[in-house]
Amino acid sequence: MKLEPFLDGLSFGEGPRWHDGRLWYSDFYVHQVRRVDEAGRAETVVEVPGRPSGLGWRPDGTLLIVSMTDRRLMRFADGKLSVEAELSALAPAPCNDMVVDGKGRAYVGNFGYDRHAGEQPRTTCLIRVDPDRSVREAASGLMFPNGTVITPDGRTMIVGETFAHRLTAFDVAADGTLGNARLWAAIDGCYPDGICLDAEGAIWVSDPFGRRVLRVLEGGRITHSVDLAPRGAYACMLGGQDRRTLYVVTNSGSGPAMAGKRDGRIETMRVDVPGAGWP
């Protein structure tokens, strides 16, 4: 399996999502949420001064956007960007990825510490924002919670813990409460970043430091490993009209040094099993 070029010139892409017939994504250092059709025609949707990351939609079509540096959840509706929720009371460091479930509840991750400033690693929480704009801790003790997916039945959430080299699962109660935390897969040497779920229950995992993208089954068996060296994979999404195109966001590196570069790309390959669940 091999990735093919699709779109280049990004500063640092994140949060790819297939929605309404197009791939939506955040481009960190130019502070933009963008979307691109299957022909590669891209356009800017909205500019987010606090640096956009995770994306998701409520059932009414409202776009939710994680604003990293000011630790906010933003909403974009009717052409207007506004603050949906303040997250700084629970997020001690920049926020990152997010999944929005079928009832419009947003689950937002955060770094937990400033790794680029040399702070010591520490665990943090996953934050839940409900449609009534209430904010609460959804889960704790996570090491750099990042990519997150929810199964099609809405009953299981899986979170990538980047610097713990694992995927962690939770049961999702009817009211959105998370419980029964358990190991879904330990992946030695892998640093899970963005992830997406397929219809067989496998998870595609972006591994930026391993410079690869993996397809992993519950329990940790790897069915596919695609080498991207010398580039790293930072996020992925199954999209296209049949949900069988894997879009992989890649770059030559990460961190503030990338702000002045345009090394980011979106690359693609066709897969056998279509995407499923959320996002």
Side-chain angles (χ1 to χ4, degrees):
M1 301 180 79
K2 182 182 178 183
L3 293 176
E4 300 293 337
F6 176 65
L7 187 68
D8 60 14
L10 283 68
S11 71
F12 193 90
E14 257 293 4
R17 305 286 186 258
W18 185 258
H19 177 76
D20 196 23
R22 283 173 283 190
L23 186 76
W24 301 57
Y25 62 94
S26 293
D27 198 354
F28 275 16
Y29 298 115
V30 293
H31 307 278
Q32 293 176 350
V33 175
R34 311 196 80 213
R35 61 189 176 194
V36 56
D37 66 17
E38 290 185 89
R41 295 182 291 261
E43 62 179 349
T44 299
V45 177
V46 61
E47 296 195 358
V48 181
R51 192 187 303 167
S53 183
L55 306 174
W57 286 262
R58 291 217 165 110
D60 66 0
T62 297
L63 171 61
L64 299 180
I65 306 166
V66 173
S67 184
M68 295 183 69
T69 57
D70 53 10
R71 292 172 285 167
R72 288 172 165 170
L73 183 64
M74 311 297 291
R75 64 181 286 141
F76 183 65
D78 300 320
K80 181 182 178 182
L81 184 69
S82 59
V83 177
E84 178 71 2
E86 298 282 356
L87 308 179
S88 57
L90 291 174
C95 295
N96 50 9
D97 216 338
M98 169 181 66
V99 65
V100 179
D101 71 8
K103 295 183 179 180
R105 296 177 295 227
Y107 296 83
V108 184
N110 70 92
F111 291 7
Y113 64 100
D114 190 345
R115 58 183 295 259
H116 298 301
E119 289 186 5
Q120 289 299 304
R122 59 179 179 265
T123 60
T124 189
C125 65
L126 196 67
I127 301 168
R128 185 179 116 207
V129 181
D130 284 358
D132 65 3
R133 302 178 67 183
S134 61
V135 179
R136 56 177 55 82
E137 181 179 283
S140 62
L142 298 169
M143 181 56 73
F144 213 94
N146 211 335
T148 307
V149 296
I150 298 174
T151 55
D153 62 8
R155 297 174 62 182
T156 304
M157 174 184 292
I158 301 112
V159 181
E161 294 185 70
T162 301
F163 292 105
H165 316 287
R166 67 189 176 214
L167 302 177
T168 298
F170 297 89
D171 292 342
V172 184
D175 66 356
T177 301
L178 304 184
N180 188 27
R182 59 199 180 276
L183 180 68
W184 195 88
I187 317 171
D188 289 343
C190 176
Y191 296 81
D193 200 325
I195 64 176
C196 63
L197 183 71
D198 74 21
E200 292 183 350
I203 293 178
W204 284 97
V205 179
S206 302
D207 180 10
F209 300 113
R211 302 186 185 283
R212 57 186 177 164
V213 61
L214 308 172
R215 183 176 182 266
V216 183
L217 299 175
E218 186 173 6
R221 184 167 75 87
I222 296 171
T223 67
H224 299 73
S225 179
V226 183
D227 182 16
L228 304 180
R231 299 178 66 78
Y234 293 88
C236 57
M237 186 69 207
L238 286 161
Q241 296 303 320
D242 60 3
R243 294 294 304 275
R244 290 179 51 238
T245 297
L246 182 68
Y247 293 90
V248 183
V249 178
T250 71
N251 214 310
S252 60
S254 64
M258 307 309 296
K261 301 180 180 181
R262 294 296 179 268
D263 289 352
R265 297 178 192 161
I266 299 175
E267 306 180 51
T268 66
M269 68 180 185
R270 296 289 288 167
V271 299
D272 295 329
V273 183
W278 290 269

